[in-house]
Amino acid sequence: MESWTIENTSLNNQELLTNESLFSLGNGYIGVRGNFEEGYQEGMTSIRGTYLNAFHDITDIEYGEKLHGFPGKQQKLLNVIDAQTVEMHVNGERFSLFHGDLTDYKRTLNMKKGFVERSMKWKSNQGDVVKITSRKLVSFHTREFYTIEWTVEPLTSRPVDIKMVSRVNGDVANFSDPNDPRVASGHSKRSKVTGVKEANGCFVVENETYESCLKVACATSTSFYFDKYDYDFTLDNKGIEEVYTATINEPVSFVKSIVYTDTLRHGEQTVEKAIEILNEERHVPFYEHLKRQENDLNQFWSTADITISGDEELQKGIRFNLFHLLQSAGQDEVSNIAAKGLSGEGYEGHYFWDTEIYMLPMFLMTHPEMAKKLLLHRYSLLDSARERAKEVGHKEGALFPWRTITGTECSAFFPAGTAQYHISADIAYSFIQYDLVTGDEQFFKEYSAEVLMETARLWLDTGHFYKGEFRIDNVTGPDEYTCIVNNNFFTNVMAQYNLEWAKKAFDRLKDYDHSLIEKLGVTEEEAARWEKAARTMYLPYDEERGINPQDDTFLQKAVWDFENTPSDHYPLLLNYHPLTLYRYQVCKQADTILAHFLLEDTADEETIARSYDYYEKVTTHDSSLSYCVFSIMAAKLGKVDKAYDYFMKTARLDLDNTHGNTKDGLHMANMGGTWLAIVFGFGGVRVKESGLSFAPNLPKEWGGCTFHVYYQGNVVQVEMEEAKTVYTLVQGNQLAFNHKGQSITATKDCVVTVTH
Ligand code: BGC
């Protein structure tokens, strides 16, 4: 059981802020930070937050100079109505973890059962001792619902007067930090309370955002389980307060049921809908919610879990990452996975390429139905991407925004934002991966083909033929320390693949379904141009070093003076002007190395090995999206120890707060990267048109490692050990795959053992 829980006893303010992210709970719709319900002490900082995926306001982007095509507005995920507050008074003295005498304090995140528990023994200044257990659960069963339970047990012989106060507060604002580009610098208060009322035993607070005019309703009800108590409530123009008082000599419990609805998903009848859902949930006992939650999680873990023997802390770290991925994944038509999930306000709740390249593969290969929803959401932004392409000056095609919630570009800094055109190819890549993994022809016909063709149009309109080669100028690759360059290798290979597949989509559809081709007006000539651009794509290669240069000029620049850069000057982006960084060979994150992972067949193994050695020396990993890629590629190159070192940096990045900013939210792409590093790295999994393959390479530190992958209706369990790999087909009848060059066919429940 141990390795299913994360435990903590710290009450240090800095660590509490980090813990608010680590102990956050979510279900893809609601996200609640791990705040203490009863509050903190004066002078302490807390980022108290509840978020609804995609629930945002619109703010103006202020520029000194606003040039043509710069976005004027952006979206911002909002902190919504705060329903977390539960206060307790014992014989008139308010309970707080920061005064009185605290013993046996422990906070536990249970990832198998999906709740957070705090248990503590507290002695008030007057000497009364109580045992308190609080539990919080954000439901996967009913996405609009979350609940808090407190049980209080007097441990002194005389009865105690207890007062439980529950509050709902609509007067909320976001957190801001003007000194950190990764956190919003202003616009913190973006919604107002529009209604507070009581309705048949429940309460409703309504808020409306200033600019987007979205509405959110929060319906709550509370119950106090004891024979005899007094109850009162008050409403004001900001929220609700309910008070229960009783004299107790035995354990009592208090339960708060909370439901959110909003106009993005529930239409205009948010209040009615919230009350309806609350009425269904509020009478369900807390233990029943726990049971439902565990059932839903069992379903998730059945294919998503990864076990590693020989390292308990690592095992926890991996489950922690997978659990938070699940908690963050939007599963409706308006939401996706934000860079920080639903655990904090960093990056303002925006969706980036992080989803498609780092997080989607885990869902795709363990729960493809969840991946499908994420892709459908991205597909729903296609029209905005078409508009954006026009705004930026393209005649046609779809340019997906670098960061967004509703589909419009929200990046105010175009060199490391809009210029990252590769996001359009990354999205196309994920639709291709979906096709390869699921073989879902209907999906391909209805969604993927359109994305592929519209993004192919973008590439043709962005690049140009020069001396027989197709080139792409003035874009930024993944590495944000090198901006606006010609022929970024990553962008060019990804665009090449995108173009090739657009032509394939055209050929595939033209034989049996013309509707999309007609709708988009694609001709044989246009498809032939895609093919030609792909075939003649210029992929920079440096003969002298035998590597792919990151772009046309990268290798001509001076190498950054790493030796004389003080360690406290990292991340460099917080200490150097971007232009300084752009002038040097210094990478924030994997760029060419990532291209070598995603499309490994575009370079030979020697080139990949040399590139790895070269770029490793100039990469700072200031982005958390970097280590996992180096880990995967080190594993591919047989440098398993190296792969392990990098892997260890991804696996517990948030748990150990190694980037120092976990308080602003978890690094979701890195969490997805952990899964990638195990499955694609140590497991050597690849999915190509030729099929599924494995190339296991177990780190010597592990006794074994087991994971599952879904492929075309089958699920195979893979058990890696030092001397052998055992494949068991746990779903499906027959699956052919490749193990380090050897063809294998597994049949249902039949165990295939390959010795190394
Ligand atoms: C990285 C980007 C990433 C973004 C959001 C930046 O620091 O450089 O690649 O998309 O964070 O996670």
Side-chain angles (χ1 to χ4, degrees):
M1 189 59 207
E2 289 275 289
S3 54
W4 285 102
T5 57
I6 302 291
E7 286 155 16
N8 188 278
T9 54
S10 167
L11 290 175
N12 161 292
N13 195 182
Q14 270 319 305
E15 285 171 36
L16 282 177
L17 278 168
T18 302
N19 285 332
E20 288 181 349
S21 300
L22 299 180
F23 287 85
S24 65
L25 289 174
N27 60 15
Y29 175 46
I30 302 175
V32 189
R33 278 175 67 81
N35 308 118
F36 291 161
E37 292 93 271
E38 70 281 6
Y40 299 80
Q41 215 179 12
E42 191 134 335
M44 289 178 81
T45 323
S46 161
I47 304 174
R48 198 168 184 89
T50 304
Y51 315 102
L52 303 181
N53 202 345
F55 189 85
H56 66 278
D57 197 26
I58 299 167
T59 59
D60 289 333
I61 304 181
E62 281 148 30
Y63 297 97
E65 293 170 56
K66 180 170 182 287
L67 302 188
H68 182 79
F70 281 21
K73 307 259 180 200
Q74 66 158 329
Q75 298 119 29
K76 178 188 182 76
L77 181 76
L78 291 195
N79 180 17
V80 296
I81 304 160
D82 176 19
Q84 290 195 64
T85 305
V86 178
E87 276 173 18
M88 189 187 64
H89 303 246
V90 176
N91 285 334
E93 190 173 328
R94 182 167 158 192
F95 159 72
S96 154
L97 293 178
F98 305 97
H99 86 260
D101 197 3
L102 186 69
T103 47
D104 293 347
Y105 167 67
K106 188 161 77 178
R107 162 151 64 170
T108 309
L109 166 66
N110 187 319
M111 300 176 287
K112 189 157 177 54
K113 300 189 173 178
F115 69 90
V116 168
E117 177 175 288
R118 283 186 303 149
S119 60
M120 47 234 152
K121 249 186 230 156
W122 182 68
K123 186 172 178 191
S124 68
N125 284 337
Q126 298 168 49
D128 298 298
V129 186
V130 283
K131 180 169 181 248
I132 307 160
T133 310
S134 82
R135 290 193 279 187
K136 199 187 287 178
L137 174 156
V138 178
S139 168
F140 285 105
H141 178 273
T142 305
R143 298 261 173 181
E144 292 89 349
F145 175 73
Y146 92 88
T147 177
I148 298 169
E149 183 208 54
W150 276 50
T151 56
V152 183
E153 184 183 349
L155 296 181
T156 29
S157 51
R158 63 183 175 125
V160 291
D161 290 340
I162 182 164
K163 178 161 94 169
M164 302 294 299
V165 182
S166 163
R167 290 207 184 87
V168 181
N169 173 27
D171 186 23
V172 285
N174 280 54
F175 180 74
S176 67
D177 182 350
N179 297 319
D180 188 338
R182 300 162 298 184
V183 181
S185 55
H187 297 298
S188 49
K189 176 104 182 99
R190 300 300 308 170
S191 69
K192 57 179 182 290
V193 183
T194 51
V196 177
K197 67 174 179 191
E198 195 244 327
N200 297 332
C202 30
F203 296 92
V204 185
V205 177
E206 290 172 86
N207 272 23
E208 186 171 336
T209 63
Y210 290 171
E211 197 59 37
S212 61
C213 299
L214 295 177
K215 293 181 195 144
V216 50
C218 175
T220 54
S221 74
T222 54
S223 307
F224 189 74
Y225 295 95
F226 194 62
D227 316 340
K228 205 166 156 272
Y229 59 83
D230 288 325
Y231 171 76
D232 200 5
F233 70 85
T234 44
L235 309 184
D236 64 16
N237 56 4
K238 292 181 178 159
I240 298 148
E241 182 178 280
E242 290 175 86
V243 180
Y244 293 87
T245 45
T247 302
I248 61 168
N249 53 4
E250 57 183 271
V252 287
S253 67
F254 165 86
V255 175
K256 188 167 185 175
S257 303
I258 301 152
V259 166
Y260 287 94
T261 54
D262 71 89
T263 42
L264 280 171
R265 286 117 173 143
H266 302 93
E268 282 300 314
Q269 308 299 310
T270 49
V271 173
E272 292 75 3
K273 191 76 199 155
I275 293 175
E276 185 188 317
I277 300 172
L278 183 65
N279 281 334
E280 278 162 25
E281 300 300 327
R282 61 195 271 212
H283 302 298
V284 176
F286 195 85
Y287 67 80
E288 193 57 43
H289 288 302
L290 284 174
K291 241 197 259 168
R292 287 178 179 177
Q293 187 82 337
E294 190 170 0
N295 282 344
D296 285 329
L297 281 165
N298 278 344
Q299 217 266 330
F300 171 70
W301 291 118
S302 66
T303 49
D305 192 24
I306 293 180
T307 54
I308 288 179
S309 46
D311 191 335
E312 184 76 20
E313 288 308 301
L314 177 61
Q315 176 68 68
K316 286 186 187 185
I318 286 158
R319 289 196 171 131
F320 178 77
N321 294 353
L322 295 170
F323 181 69
H324 275 292
L325 280 168
L326 172 71
Q327 294 206 110
S328 307
Q331 289 290 285
D332 56 35
E333 53 293 348
V334 296
S335 63
N336 208 293
I337 312 181
K340 302 286 182 189
L342 294 167
S343 66
E345 298 174 16
Y347 291 123
E348 298 174 89
H350 292 163
Y351 313 133
F352 293 73
W353 70 313
D354 304 31
T355 302
E356 278 77 8
I357 297 300
Y358 290 84
M359 302 186 248
L360 192 111
M362 187 283 279
F363 292 105
L364 176 56
M365 299 199 71
T366 64
H367 288 284
E369 70 292 348
M370 292 189 75
K372 183 174 179 176
K373 290 190 183 149
L374 293 167
L375 290 176
L376 282 174
H377 172 260
R378 198 56 105 164
Y379 173 84
S380 76
L381 307 184
L382 186 57
D383 278 340
S384 306
R386 287 184 176 109
E387 265 171 49
R388 181 65 184 150
K390 297 246 157 58
E391 274 167 22
V392 176
H394 293 288
K395 291 187 282 305
E396 56 182 1
L399 171 60
F400 281 95
W402 176 241
R403 50 193 289 179
T404 191
I405 295 178
T406 64
T408 60
E409 178 62 274
C410 292
S411 171
F413 183 58
F414 80 90
T418 300
Q420 295 204 47
Y421 268 47
H422 65 85
I423 186 170
S424 294
D426 306 334
I427 289 169
Y429 180 91
S430 68
F431 278 86
I432 298 166
Q433 289 290 301
Y434 184 83
D435 186 58
L436 295 174
V437 169
T438 65
D440 182 346
E441 188 63 20
Q442 191 63 25
F443 188 87
F444 187 80
K445 208 170 74 177
E446 277 183 44
Y447 306 105
S448 311
E450 191 172 350
V451 170
L452 289 168
M453 293 187 198
E454 286 292 45
T455 45
R457 284 179 159 164
L458 176 83
W459 294 119
L460 225 66
D461 200 67
T462 308
H464 63 112
F465 289 98
Y466 176 74
K467 296 188 177 169
E469 285 171 327
F470 191 77
R471 293 171 167 251
I472 301 174
D473 296 329
N474 284 334
V475 294
T476 297
D479 167 31
E480 295 184 350
Y481 287 172
T482 311
C483 291
I484 321 273
V485 292
N486 295 344
N487 298 305
N488 167 252
F489 177 79
F490 178 91
T491 308
N492 286 19
V493 278
M494 293 295 280
Q496 178 181 49
Y497 192 59
N498 189 164
L499 286 157
E500 268 167 27
W501 268 79
K503 170 73 163 83
K504 275 185 197 160
F506 177 81
D507 291 343
R508 203 154 132 184
L509 292 193
K510 80 175 179 201
D511 294 336
Y512 74 100
D513 189 340
H514 268 260
S515 52
L516 177 68
I517 293 174
E518 275 160 28
K519 177 179 134 188
L520 300 182
V522 186
T523 59
E524 285 280 357
E525 292 70 43
E526 185 177 15
R529 280 199 298 278
W530 295 340
E531 186 279 326
K532 183 177 170 203
R535 181 167 33 85
T536 61
M537 182 68 73
Y538 168 61
L539 300 179
Y541 186 77
D542 182 77
E543 293 289 346
E544 199 185 312
R545 297 176 181 84
I547 64 171
N548 294 109
Q550 192 168 296
D551 58 67
D552 280 357
T553 57
F554 186 82
L555 297 178
Q556 297 162 22
K557 295 176 182 172
V559 174
W560 183 265
D561 185 2
F562 293 100
E563 223 166 87
N564 294 309
T565 306
S567 60
D568 62 358
H569 282 205
Y570 293 91
L572 301 179
L573 71 117
L574 296 184
N575 295 287
Y576 298 88
H577 190 281
L579 282 170
T580 307
L581 299 170
Y582 300 170
R583 289 195 184 107
Y584 289 91
Q585 289 191 48
V586 55
C587 300
K588 182 180 179 191
Q589 62 206 99
D591 191 301
T592 309
I593 301 304
L594 178 58
H596 288 327
F597 161 50
L598 297 176
L599 292 168
E600 62 183 10
D601 296 332
T602 42
D604 57 60
E605 191 132 348
E606 292 74 39
T607 303
I608 292 180
R610 286 188 295 263
S611 278
Y612 175 93
D613 290 339
Y614 191 87
Y615 290 105
E616 188 182 34
K617 294 194 188 76
V618 293
T619 303
T620 60
H621 310 287
D622 283 351
S623 159
S624 65
L625 282 65
S626 196
Y627 291 134
C628 61
V629 181
F630 275 85
S631 173
I632 295 165
M633 293 312 280
K636 175 185 164 72
L637 295 167
K639 302 169 191 263
V640 186
D641 289 346
K642 254 274 138 88
Y644 179 78
D645 288 347
Y646 279 120
F647 172 75
M648 291 307 279
K649 292 185 165 134
T650 75
R652 293 183 51 93
L653 185 141
D654 280 308
L655 277 175
D656 299 336
N657 192 16
T658 55
H659 271 236
N661 62 348
T662 292
K663 74 169 197 333
D664 301 319
L666 304 167
H667 298 78
M668 298 311 305
N670 171 72
M671 292 183 150
T674 309
W675 184 90
L676 287 172
I678 297 173
V679 175
F680 284 71
F682 300 122
V685 170
R686 294 292 184 275
V687 178
K688 298 183 185 170
E689 277 173 277
S690 53
L692 173 70
S693 59
F694 298 86
N697 245 329
L698 190 75
K700 63 176 182 320
E701 289 78 2
W702 299 351
C705 171
T706 303
F707 62 88
H708 291 81
V709 291
Y710 168 92
Y711 183 71
Q712 301 197 346
N714 305 286
V715 176
V716 62
Q717 174 184 291
V718 183
E719 292 164 89
M720 298 194 284
E721 287 172 29
E722 193 197 335
K724 62 178 197 258
T725 305
V726 181
Y727 297 95
T728 314
L729 196 62
V730 293
Q731 180 187 307
N733 292 324
Q734 187 167 311
L735 176 66
F737 57 86
N738 187 292
H739 168 106
K740 292 190 171 167
Q742 182 185 345
S743 297
I744 291 177
T745 301
T747 46
K748 176 106 180 94
D749 291 331
C750 164
V751 175
V752 180
T753 303
V754 188
T755 46
H756 304 153

